Amino acid sequence: DAGITQSPRHKVTETGTPVTLRCHQTENHRYMYWYRQDPGHGLRLIHYSYGVKDTDKGEVSDGYSVSRSKTEDFLLTLESATSSQTSVYFCAISESYGTGFGAEAFFGQGTRLTVV
Amino acid sequence: GQQVMQIPQYQHVQEGEDFTTYCNSSTTLSNIQWYKQRPGGHPVFLIQLVKSGEVKKQKRLTFQFGEAKKNSSLHITATQTTDVGTYFCAARERSNDYKLSFGAGTTVTVRA
């Protein structure tokens, strides 16, 4: 498996509190992604990064922010957690983009977040 | 919304039978990737298709990219219990191929 570590692996938090999930990679890959997985919706892209300090929104970015100050770390913050943000969150990395070699994504083990 | 639509959402298969899952887009895709997620696990890359009409095989799995690069299929022959899981297609748009979007997946169960 690619060197991707997500932390924490499990978290229970209260509605209205901020939460930060961390994705750490040791592969030196430029591209990083945050997805959430919910039954019936598959994997939905929250935010992605194409370099240090370069990030953009995905399909379901409302209520989430990200930061990437170093190549190896991509942080996802729920500014004020809501019950609708209860989900499994996956981080992924890729070496390149487009159609070339290395464009496939490697996933972390996931973080199960419950907002009560 | 999601860029690619997958059908069916669920596939219940008798062991030994064949099945096909489909991935469709309203826009022309730069490429298509397929992933498999075992129950309780994380998605794992299977294959990437880039060329119009491309067909690739991995043992009992056959992947196809449509001529117009708007659809793709995954066909599994002689299904085994090891094929259980959720299969996702993922795609990058020509207008922004930094962004990798996934379909909703096809969840496969196998009756022994």
Side-chain angles (χ1 to χ4, degrees):
Chain A
D1 283 348
I4 310 169
T5 305
Q6 289 187 233
S7 58
R9 294 291 313 280
H10 301 272
K11 186 170 182 67
V12 179
T13 192
E14 292 186 351
T15 299
T17 60
V19 177
T20 295
L21 308 182
R22 182 184 184 225
C23 179
H24 178 77
Q25 59 140 330
T26 57
E27 304 295 324
N28 201 34
H29 284 0
R30 180 176 172 183
Y31 304 92
M32 299 186 76
Y33 313 83
W34 275 108
Y35 296 89
R36 60 176 290 175
Q37 184 171 29
D38 306 286
H41 293 278
L43 292 159
R44 291 183 290 176
L45 182 63
I46 306 171
H47 282 280
Y48 62 100
S49 170
Y50 46 96
V52 174
K53 296 194 166 107
D54 291 322
T55 65
D56 205 349
K57 296 178 180 180
E59 293 112 10
V60 291
S61 59
D62 287 350
Y64 301 95
S65 62
V66 289
S67 66
R68 191 165 178 205
S69 58
K70 300 184 289 186
T71 297
E72 56 266 36
D73 288 326
F74 193 31
L75 304 180
L76 176 71
T77 297
L78 288 66
E79 291 138 9
S80 176
T82 67
S83 58
S84 64
Q85 293 177 311
T86 292
S87 186
V88 178
Y89 291 84
F90 284 101
C91 172
I93 64 174
S94 67
E95 185 176 6
S96 70
Y97 66 100
T99 61
F101 175 81
E104 69 271 26
F106 297 94
F107 283 79
Q109 300 297 315
T111 294
R112 184 171 296 276
L113 177 69
T114 303
V115 183
V116 298
Chain B
Q2 283 177 315
Q3 179 185 353
V4 289
M5 302 296 292
Q6 274 188 264
I7 53 170
Q9 186 176 356
Y10 297 99
Q11 184 81 53
H12 308 289
V13 188
Q14 180 72 41
E15 191 173 18
E17 290 184 342
D18 302 352
F19 76 89
T20 303
T21 178
Y22 300 90
C23 184
N24 299 305
S25 172
S26 59
T27 60
T28 302
L29 301 172
S30 176
N31 64 353
I32 196 94
Q33 297 176 351
W34 286 90
Y35 293 76
K36 178 182 178 181
Q37 182 180 26
R38 296 184 186 277
H42 59 278
V44 174
F45 174 77
L46 294 176
I47 209 157
Q48 174 170 275
L49 304 171
V50 176
K51 299 176 184 175
S52 171
E54 188 170 13
V55 178
K56 288 187 176 180
K57 294 190 176 184
Q58 287 181 350
K59 298 182 180 178
R60 295 178 296 102
L61 278 59
T62 301
F63 304 84
Q64 187 165 4
F65 202 8
E67 293 289 342
K69 301 183 76 172
K70 290 185 176 182
N71 56 73
S72 181
S73 64
L74 160 58
H75 181 77
I76 300 182
T77 58
T79 303
Q80 299 177 357
T81 55
T82 53
D83 296 322
V84 164
T86 300
Y87 294 83
F88 293 99
C89 63
R92 300 180 187 271
E93 291 181 40
R94 282 187 169 180
S95 59
N96 179 2
D97 55 6
Y98 288 164
K99 185 176 168 183
L100 183 62
S101 297
F102 283 72
T106 294
T107 298
V108 176
T109 55
V110 178
R111 299 189 300 274

